[in-house]
Amino acid sequence: MSRTYIQFNVQDTQQAYGKMCYILSQNGFKNVVEKNENLWKWGMGLLTAPKYIRIDIPRDHVIMVSAWIKPFMMGEMEIDNSFVGLIPKEEMKSVIRVLQQNIF
């Protein structure tokens, strides 16, 4: 498993979580359960790699976000600057930036 992890330090954990869920749903993500994980998923993988975000609250005032893509016939890929999956990765970076800008 190769995922990108981002920690958000927030004032109000529940308010920030609600805002994140709203932003993700407004950006076309659907809340799904896959392999016993509660995830936000965008895309089916037919034309482009599905994008995934998982939100965890390990303790008060902290939200951990894991983000990755899963190209067809490949495993999970972190959101980095490598060439493979470049377009879906850039789309994910954009969504993560929106989350960062709106959570504080």
Side-chain angles (χ1 to χ4, degrees):
M1 249 190 290
S2 191
R3 299 179 181 185
T4 298
Y5 296 93
I6 302 131
Q7 178 175 315
F8 292 89
N9 297 311
V10 298
Q11 293 288 337
D12 184 329
T13 309
Q14 291 305 314
Q15 181 182 11
Y17 176 77
K19 195 179 249 187
M20 290 176 105
C21 293
Y22 176 78
I23 291 168
L24 292 172
S25 66
Q26 292 299 304
N27 280 280
F29 283 79
K30 304 287 184 215
N31 192 243
V32 299
V33 175
E34 288 188 8
K35 298 182 183 176
N36 294 324
E37 284 188 288
N38 187 12
L39 308 171
W40 287 89
K41 178 181 178 182
W42 188 91
M44 299 295 294
L46 299 175
L47 299 176
T48 185
K51 299 159 200 67
Y52 293 90
I53 290 182
R54 177 179 168 160
I55 302 171
D56 292 301
I57 302 173
R59 62 185 179 280
D60 203 21
H61 304 292
V62 174
I63 296 178
M64 287 297 297
V65 171
S66 356
W68 68 96
I69 64 169
K70 191 171 180 186
F72 182 69
M73 300 292 285
M74 296 178 76
E76 296 177 1
M77 298 181 71
E78 65 184 321
I79 309 304
D80 60 9
N81 294 321
S82 67
F83 182 74
V84 177
L86 183 64
I87 292 172
K89 287 179 182 179
E90 289 302 318
E91 292 168 344
M92 283 294 283
K93 287 178 186 177
S94 175
V95 170
I96 291 168
R97 275 192 297 276
V98 170
L99 291 174
Q100 289 172 326
Q101 293 168 352
N102 287 283
I103 295 308
F104 302 102

